[in-house]
Amino acid sequence: MLLTEEDRQLLSEKQIPESQLREQLVRFSQGFPFMDIVAPATVRKGICVFTAKEREACIKTWDAYRAKDREILKFVPASGAASRMFKDLYAFLSAPRETPVTGFEKRFFDGIADFAFYDLLNGWCRGREGRDIPALLAAGRYKSVAAALLEGDGLGYGRLPKGLLLFHAADGGARTALEEQLVEGALYASNRAGEVHVHLTVSPEHLPLFERMAKEKAPLYERMFGVKYTISWSVQSPGTDTVAVDATNEPFREPGGALLFRPGGHGALIGNLDRVDADVIFVKNIDNVVPDHLKAPTVLFKKALAGLLVGLQEKIFGYLRLIESGGYTRRQVEEMIYFLQNRLCVKNPEMKYLEDAELILYIRQKLLRPLRVCGMVRNTGEPGGGPFLVRSAKDGVVSLQIVESSQIDLADPQKKAVFERSAYFNPVDLVCAPKGPDGRKYHLPDFVDGNAGFISRRSRDGRELKALELPGLWNGAMSDWNTVFVEAPPETFNPVKSVIDLLRPQHQPLAGDL
């Protein structure tokens, strides 16, 4: 393609090299290879299930670890816009009728008093409309209430990120998703000094709002839990944006002629994760939170995951120190092979042909990587990625991976059959150990599989376009990490995809609590 001077200026502002732009355009033409899924991860093959005794042991391990001088961080992707939560409500506002008709619309207005934001919305309606919500609904002014919730001259919820919406009623007042994440952090991620380090990735336009809310609310939870918060923020680097193309793979240009770049998806956040410094990092999406009376299963499971992680890390570091010493026996090498193949599920059919020196170097190479332990929930029809055993195109090694359906060739009957046998879903509930035995952090971009992205179809101003999604943060961006999957209790997975989800029992207070 021929670049204009305006194109070069835009690339310079975003700090995107021309070579990177051209590589992206080639990727649109060539596409991404499908993932070679071998089998779904199951309890028999790749997914651990805690016994009560194992869970308690892991929790004790984590509490002992926290009592040491360790840096612990809670990393929360929080740039998700709330507009998608309200798409059905927006459809109602644009419909040529005034009253609720669809199941969604009836459920929303019938249950409106049960939303945590009800009192705030009701107060706004009284002040601006001169009537409270029951009076407006009795008068048939349903759209006035919906507009007051969504639009900028009301609460403006349609323009806010999920993290700043009131999710739950609580004794001290309604809480936003951000506040619930702060509460969680105090319950399982505080260090020996009682510090809770929380890092959130947010959109640039919403950063001041997040900072203001954190400054206002953090002191309340510091007093409540006897902790001290250190809250940090980052935004997705413009340098990770990807160019969009039209149906013919030509660069998509705005009406004024400018190239259109889009955020590269969650995969771009591997850079944000690489820039934070901690020994253990919890990763969890902003909207997967519950009220206090349902937090116990989540807190216990998070502690158990973290305890399993640091126990595995200690084992790995012991093996690496043994390798460095050179004083290992044949039996110890066999133990390391067993651990690699059966505990970390790294299976290389060629390993049996390696000579002794090559074998020990290979074991060292596979152990000397970041480690993650990921919760997986039983699949109840949720869309999205799941856990599979995947064969690498690079070296033929089979390992545990989280794979999106778009990365699987569902036109291949064999791959489709493997996909349909999967019984688990990825809830984005993981704990990471990003440092090596020397205490230095691995350079996380070195462990990304660049071939694990995908191309999605979008539209802009009525025109079709194709967008390039970078390898997802917990998918291809962590492809070369050592990975362990653990079955998560279903009550630990309570995402909010639609505003109606907030009416589910998992997001409501206990009867009589308030």
Side-chain angles (χ1 to χ4, degrees):
M1 63 173 291
L2 295 176
L3 294 176
T4 66
E5 193 56 42
E6 290 76 13
D7 294 339
R8 291 191 171 88
Q9 178 63 31
L10 180 59
L11 291 172
S12 176
E13 291 171 1
K14 289 181 170 290
Q15 298 185 331
I16 296 176
E18 286 186 29
S19 58
Q20 182 175 317
L21 171 65
R22 297 184 191 282
E23 287 171 7
Q24 291 176 6
L25 293 173
V26 169
R27 181 63 78 176
F28 279 111
S29 299
Q30 296 181 348
F32 289 94
F34 289 114
M35 303 295 283
D36 185 7
I37 57 174
V38 175
T42 65
V43 172
R44 290 176 176 267
K45 190 182 295 184
I47 295 183
C48 311
V49 179
F50 285 130
T51 64
K53 185 176 180 180
E54 288 168 341
R55 188 185 73 168
E56 289 306 312
C58 286
I59 290 171
K60 287 181 181 179
T61 298
W62 176 241
D63 286 337
Y65 184 90
R66 287 201 299 162
K68 301 174 183 177
D69 187 18
R70 303 292 189 180
E71 289 299 325
I72 302 162
L73 179 76
K74 186 171 169 60
F75 184 94
V76 185
S79 60
S83 55
R84 284 171 287 183
M85 281 177 58
F86 298 109
K87 66 177 182 179
D88 293 303
L89 204 55
Y90 276 116
F92 171 66
L93 280 177
S94 62
R97 50 185 165 80
E98 298 298 322
T99 56
V101 171
T102 68
F104 167 88
E105 293 161 4
K106 292 177 179 178
R107 180 78 180 95
F108 176 83
F109 288 107
D110 287 347
I112 195 166
D114 293 327
F115 287 110
F117 53 72
Y118 177 79
D119 288 343
L120 186 64
L121 181 62
N122 201 33
W124 188 95
C125 289
R126 282 200 202 100
R128 293 291 295 270
E129 298 288 342
R131 303 187 197 182
D132 61 13
I133 290 175
L136 287 170
L137 298 184
R141 294 182 58 187
Y142 293 90
K143 288 191 174 181
S144 295
V145 175
L149 176 66
L150 297 180
E151 294 178 355
D153 57 353
L155 300 190
Y157 268 29
R159 302 179 183 180
L160 291 178
K162 284 184 181 180
L164 299 181
L165 306 190
L166 290 172
F167 265 35
H168 301 142
D171 288 335
R175 288 182 189 164
T176 61
L178 169 62
E179 291 172 81
E180 296 290 26
Q181 292 283 358
L182 295 180
V183 171
E184 272 198 24
L187 295 175
Y188 59 72
S190 59
N191 63 18
R192 183 175 68 176
E195 300 165 334
V196 182
H197 295 266
V198 182
H199 183 90
L200 297 101
T201 63
V202 301
S203 300
E205 65 270 23
H206 294 137
L207 178 56
L209 296 175
F210 270 107
E211 289 178 323
R212 190 180 312 142
M213 179 168 286
K215 184 177 181 181
E216 175 189 346
K217 298 294 185 179
L220 167 66
Y221 301 111
E222 288 179 338
R223 293 190 296 271
M224 186 178 295
F225 297 104
V227 298
K228 180 68 177 177
Y229 289 101
T230 298
I231 304 173
S232 56
W233 317 88
S234 63
V235 299
Q236 191 167 307
S237 168
T240 63
D241 289 354
T242 58
V243 70
V245 299
D246 61 21
T248 64
N249 292 329
E250 289 297 317
F252 188 100
R253 293 186 180 272
E254 302 277 30
L259 291 171
L260 175 64
F261 282 88
R262 302 179 72 262
H266 268 155
L269 297 182
I270 195 66
N272 301 60
L273 191 66
D274 189 56
R275 288 189 290 274
V276 298
D277 186 25
D279 298 301
V280 172
I281 302 175
F282 292 89
V283 180
K284 186 178 183 182
N285 280 341
I286 187 70
D287 63 318
N288 185 15
V289 288
V290 291
D292 286 350
H293 70 93
L294 294 175
K295 281 191 173 68
T298 292
V299 171
L300 292 175
F301 184 66
K302 281 288 198 180
K303 285 186 170 186
L305 281 186
L308 177 59
L309 176 92
V310 298
L312 289 170
Q313 184 188 57
E314 184 178 352
K315 190 85 168 174
I316 290 169
F317 287 178
Y319 287 145
L320 287 169
R321 285 191 290 269
L322 185 60
I323 290 172
E324 292 301 316
S325 73
Y328 45 82
T329 65
R330 184 66 193 176
R331 184 174 178 179
Q332 288 171 323
V333 172
E334 290 172 354
E335 180 184 325
M336 286 185 259
I337 293 171
Y338 183 87
F339 177 83
L340 195 63
Q341 293 184 329
N342 295 281
R343 200 70 182 93
L344 301 182
C345 285
V346 176
K347 300 182 185 295
N348 183 354
E350 301 299 318
M351 191 160 34
K352 59 187 175 184
Y353 302 117
L354 296 177
E355 299 292 338
D356 289 351
E358 293 176 316
L359 178 61
I360 205 68
L361 286 174
Y362 177 81
I363 294 171
R364 180 180 181 277
Q365 172 199 347
K366 290 302 183 183
L367 293 178
L368 201 61
R369 302 191 292 174
L371 173 68
R372 60 176 177 164
V373 176
C374 313
M376 292 290 155
V377 293
R378 289 277 179 178
N379 197 335
T380 56
E382 293 283 352
F388 290 87
L389 287 159
V390 177
R391 182 179 290 107
S392 168
K394 181 172 60 177
D395 58 11
V397 173
V398 174
S399 63
L400 292 172
Q401 302 289 337
I402 299 169
V403 184
E404 300 291 334
S405 58
S406 59
Q407 297 177 288
I408 300 171
D409 184 5
L410 297 178
D412 181 331
Q414 183 180 7
K415 300 304 181 188
K416 184 178 180 181
V418 172
F419 173 72
E420 290 177 344
R421 291 202 307 272
S422 177
Y424 286 88
F425 172 78
N426 168 38
V428 187
D429 191 356
L430 55 156
V431 192
C432 306
K435 293 184 177 180
D438 58 0
R440 290 187 293 182
K441 190 170 182 181
Y442 294 106
H443 183 235
L444 301 186
D446 291 344
F447 300 88
V448 175
D449 178 3
N451 285 322
F454 60 93
I455 296 167
S456 60
R457 294 187 179 274
R458 311 278 180 176
S459 66
R460 187 177 180 89
D461 300 326
R463 299 163 59 198
E464 286 191 14
L465 61 83
K466 292 194 283 187
L468 196 64
E469 305 286 343
L470 297 177
L473 179 59
W474 34 84
N475 307 104
M478 294 182 174
S479 178
D480 286 338
W481 291 42
N482 282 320
T483 298
V484 173
F485 293 143
V486 180
E487 181 174 292
E491 56 267 34
T492 64
F493 181 55
N494 300 284
V496 178
K497 303 303 180 187
S498 166
V499 64
I500 291 296
D501 290 334
L502 292 172
L503 296 178
R504 294 164 57 197
Q506 296 92 325
H507 293 285
Q508 291 291 308
L510 281 175
D513 267 11
L514 301 175

